[in-house]
Amino acid sequence: MSAPHSFWLQNPPQESYPPLQGDVTADICVIGGGITGLTTALLLQEADVDVILIEARQIASGTTGHTTAKITSQHDLIYHTLIKRYGQELAAQYADAQQTALEEIASLIQRHSIDCAFERQNAYQFTELPRGAAALEREYRAALRLNLPAELLDSAQLGPLNLPFKPHQALRFTNQAHFDPVAYTRALARIFIGLGGQIFEQTRAQEVLPGEVVHGNGRISAPHIIVASHFPIRSIPGWYFARQYAHRSYCLALDGTDPFEGMWLSIHKHGKSLRMHGNTLLLGGVDHMTGHQNHRSHYAILRTYAQTLYPQSREIAYWSAQDGIAANSVPYIGSFSDLLPGVWVATGFAKWGMTNSMTAAMILRDSILEYTNPWQNIFSPKRPPTLDSAWITLSSGARTAANYAAWPFSRQPVCTHLGCRTHFQTEERTWECPCHGSRFDASGVPIDGPATKNLDLGP
Ligand code: FES
């Protein structure tokens, strides 16, 4: 079988952008040409600021090109947890930011007539087991307290939806959406260029300093630098590699299924995600921490499930995605660190990058232009630590210590981030670091940070 390749990246881009040669200056440098970097660059360029964006590979070729692209404020069972951990006021900031982001994306698409298969759909979280009902009911009550468009449905109400599986109960958020994330992001790039912005592909940031980004062929001087590179490429200060963890998930695109309404996500561990794109079913799931996969084929598990649902279906693409999960699944958006003035960050989107991309863009634009923003506190990288954030940091330290202890007994290549031994993942043909989630292709070139330098694979 051919190598994994995302359904969204099957059409080559119509535009390409040159690599950056030498030194340049700008008001703002954005690192990362995914949906977050492009949205932020566009909002700032619209505000008449001079923005340069650099991307290590191609626009939308990273996590943006590998998502299931659900544009929704329904983010797992987050709202009950947010109220419990941070209180009603901060939880309401999160909810309002996501609903606003959804409508901002819709309005941007309409304003610029972007052809990206944008479609309004309801979002559902479901359980097939009676024991899952209590968690959905708790989340439903939390969503109502935050004015989210939530409804709780039982199996009798769900029956007419003609689903290939049998939910016992589901929590529905109405009037959400999905789209083609690559068509959207490539369109943002064209609009950004039309407004005078500059994009450089195949330009990897190697170092971030106050007022300066070092890349392979020179330096970019800019008073503001936005790190939208998925996992921040600078480790200290900020310590983002120890404040979030990397997670992987897998996806199939299938033809020959019966279309159904809505975007569906099971609430159970390793639960499946299902949504239609036209007549194609996108089936995802089987997630795990990067570098900690079990030895069964992840795609085989999904294929078995697909055959159960639709024995007549035909697979047309398969691929995987990597995401950063921040404490309590709330992204870090704001100032990178007091020790790096003028440097900004957006990371840890916990698999909900579509609305969070717009949320990040609005917060970063407002912060840089010194406008007030109603949501910045809940996303602030300086928000007080919680039990969850302490647990993530402790676990990260423990994983690294365990890897160092086993170091002399292994001959696997050494990760260029902090020196852990990597593992080779045969399904993806990638080197993965179990400490903080860096990934490298078979020849050792970084795919996912925090590492930025090639693996030494020896002679
Ligand atoms: Fe940190 Fe590999 S990602 S040591």
Side-chain angles (χ1 to χ4, degrees):
M1 184 170 265
S2 59
H5 190 69
S6 168
F7 175 72
W8 307 117
L9 293 167
Q10 296 185 118
N11 294 327
Q14 288 168 348
E15 294 87 12
S16 62
Y17 305 95
L20 178 57
Q21 307 290 346
D23 297 347
V24 288
T25 58
D27 294 333
I28 296 176
C29 172
V30 176
I31 302 171
I35 187 171
T36 304
L38 253 314
T39 311
T40 311
L42 177 58
L43 295 199
L44 283 160
Q45 193 72 37
E46 280 180 336
D48 222 11
V49 184
D50 171 28
V51 183
I52 280 182
L53 182 144
I54 59 170
E55 159 57 43
R57 286 167 288 164
Q58 282 183 314
I59 294 302
S61 63
T63 297
T64 298
H66 295 80
T67 171
T68 52
K70 298 171 181 168
I71 315 168
T72 175
S73 58
Q74 187 183 69
H75 294 180
D76 301 305
L77 301 177
I78 196 171
Y79 294 107
H80 171 73
T81 308
L82 286 185
I83 292 174
K84 213 166 77 183
R85 294 270 192 278
Y86 297 108
Q88 168 102 8
E89 196 183 319
L90 288 179
Q93 285 188 15
Y94 186 98
D96 186 44
Q98 306 304 333
Q99 275 292 128
T100 306
L102 159 62
E103 296 309 328
E104 282 295 314
I105 291 170
S107 132
L108 182 62
I109 290 169
Q110 192 181 32
R111 217 164 54 242
H112 293 284
S113 306
I114 297 175
D115 183 7
C116 60
F118 178 85
E119 203 178 292
R120 289 285 180 175
Q121 285 283 346
N122 297 319
Y124 297 83
Q125 286 190 101
F126 70 97
T127 177
E128 292 171 282
L129 308 169
R131 68 178 160 81
L136 282 175
E137 282 159 23
R138 266 198 316 266
E139 184 70 358
Y140 171 59
R141 285 195 297 274
L144 290 186
R145 282 177 65 183
L146 301 173
N147 295 321
L148 289 161
E151 298 167 346
L152 197 59
L153 306 176
D154 62 24
S155 54
Q157 292 165 298
L158 293 164
L161 294 183
N162 192 28
L163 299 166
F165 49 93
K166 294 276 167 278
H168 172 75
Q169 194 171 58
L171 176 61
R172 174 161 71 190
F173 280 20
T174 55
N175 208 24
Q176 310 289 297
H178 58 50
F179 64 177
D180 175 339
V182 170
Y184 172 75
T185 306
R186 287 175 180 166
L188 296 189
R190 288 192 291 273
I191 299 163
F192 171 66
I193 292 285
L195 291 172
Q198 297 180 73
I199 295 177
F200 298 97
E201 292 181 320
Q202 311 300 338
T203 302
R204 187 179 289 275
Q206 292 175 337
E207 206 174 340
V208 178
L209 305 164
E212 193 168 273
V213 176
V214 180
H215 63 93
N217 293 308
R219 290 164 191 273
I220 302 163
S221 302
H224 293 282
I225 294 161
I226 295 170
V227 182
S229 55
H230 195 222
F231 252 71
I233 57 161
R234 178 153 178 171
S235 293
I236 302 167
W239 300 88
Y240 292 98
F241 68 92
R243 298 168 67 193
Q244 61 180 317
Y245 58 93
H247 230 238
R248 301 193 53 65
S249 50
Y250 299 82
C251 202
L252 306 180
L254 299 152
D255 277 354
T257 63
D258 299 326
F260 53 82
E261 186 265 328
M263 308 175 280
W264 294 81
L265 181 62
S266 164
I267 64 168
H268 298 290
K269 200 170 177 199
H270 307 308
K272 309 293 187 300
S273 154
L274 306 97
R275 72 102 150 167
M276 301 301 303
H277 173 75
N279 288 322
T280 300
L281 170 65
L282 305 182
L283 171 64
V286 204
D287 54 336
H288 63 82
M289 272 184 72
T290 303
H292 295 261
Q293 60 272 21
N294 61 33
H295 295 291
R296 263 188 85 190
S297 159
H298 304 95
Y299 295 113
I301 295 169
L302 276 182
R303 285 173 185 136
T304 303
Y305 186 61
Q307 282 302 304
T308 314
L309 298 183
Y310 293 111
Q312 75 287 11
S313 63
R314 189 171 56 85
E315 184 178 314
I316 56 171
Y318 72 106
W319 70 98
S320 64
Q322 170 134 327
D323 291 277
I325 318 283
N328 301 121
S329 297
V330 179
Y332 300 114
I333 302 169
S335 167
F336 196 101
S337 161
D338 288 344
L339 300 175
L340 283 181
V343 181
W344 306 86
V345 69
T347 189
F349 289 1
K351 310 190 182 198
W352 298 109
M354 301 300 102
T355 52
N356 271 320
S357 66
M358 180 58 84
T359 296
M362 292 188 289
I363 291 175
L364 295 176
R365 174 199 59 195
D366 294 350
S367 302
I368 290 171
L369 300 180
E370 299 182 5
Y371 301 157
T372 43
N373 181 284
W375 316 300
Q376 59 194 12
N377 294 344
I378 182 70
F379 297 99
S380 169
K382 294 181 202 159
R383 63 182 183 260
T386 60
L387 275 180
D388 195 48
S389 56
W391 177 248
I392 287 174
T393 304
L394 280 174
S395 310
S396 163
R399 280 195 307 278
T400 309
N403 192 290
Y404 286 172
W407 212 90
F409 309 106
S410 169
R411 297 214 171 281
Q412 304 292 335
V414 174
C415 177
T416 54
H417 175 226
L418 292 180
C420 288
R421 293 284 191 187
T422 57
H423 304 310
F424 193 66
Q425 220 272 34
T426 47
E427 269 194 310
E428 302 288 317
R429 299 202 53 74
T430 51
W431 296 98
E432 296 187 355
C433 179
C435 290
H436 315 110
S438 290
R439 293 174 68 238
F440 306 83
D441 70 17
S443 63
V445 176
I447 303 172
D448 287 298
T452 56
K453 297 199 170 65
N454 290 5
L455 279 184
D456 181 357
L457 296 176

